[in-house]
Amino acid sequence: MVSKMMVVTFMLIAATTLVGAGCSDDDPVNPTTSIDTAPPAVPANLHVDYDLENAQITWDMNTVDPDLAGYIVTKERYGITEVLVGTPTMITSYEDPNPQGGPNIYQVYAVDQAGNQSAVATVTLTVVLNHETHTLDQ
């Protein structure tokens, strides 16, 4: 019986302290500002088309994150990353006029207005040089 009374007394003190701090005219309650740390969704359906000259990278528009700032696009070749679109931009495609022979790894990620970045979506285009006819093949 004594232990039940201690629990009830403790709960009343905690409730009184919480209500008292929140209702004082001398110390108004300041709403806490929540910090956005949630990344936007990963760009979906990343795809590359190649016409023996240009690579056209496309993806679906993010429709679930109202605070989306845009997309960043990079290309990696043999461990060297080239930034193709460095500022978050509201686009759903990018045309690379200069895919080189070998693997061209395109990476797209979404960025929200708080600067949070999604995971990277990746698609690879490998340009093979046909040495017999000196033409580019996909």
Side-chain angles (χ1 to χ4, degrees), residues 85-135:
V85 178
T87 303
T89 306
M90 293 298 280
I91 56 175
T92 56
S93 67
Y94 178 83
E95 184 174 304
D96 182 4
N98 193 25
Q100 307 272 319
N104 295 268
I105 303 167
Y106 296 97
Q107 301 169 326
V108 179
Y109 59 94
V111 179
D112 67 16
Q113 294 173 2
N116 300 308
Q117 299 176 359
S118 72
V120 176
T122 303
V123 65
T124 301
L125 167 68
T126 301
V127 177
V128 179
L129 295 175
N130 183 336
H131 294 290
E132 291 179 18
T133 60
H134 302 290
T135 59

Side-chain angles (χ1 to χ4, degrees), residues 30-38 67 112-114 116:
N30 293 327
T32 58
T33 307
S34 64
I35 297 173
D36 179 8
T37 58
D67 65 337
D112 67 16
Q113 294 173 2
N116 300 308

Side-chain angles (χ1 to χ4, degrees), residues 77-91:
R77 293 190 69 251
Y78 301 110
I80 298 171
T81 300
E82 176 184 359
V83 177
L84 303 175
V85 178
T87 303
T89 306
M90 293 298 280
I91 56 175

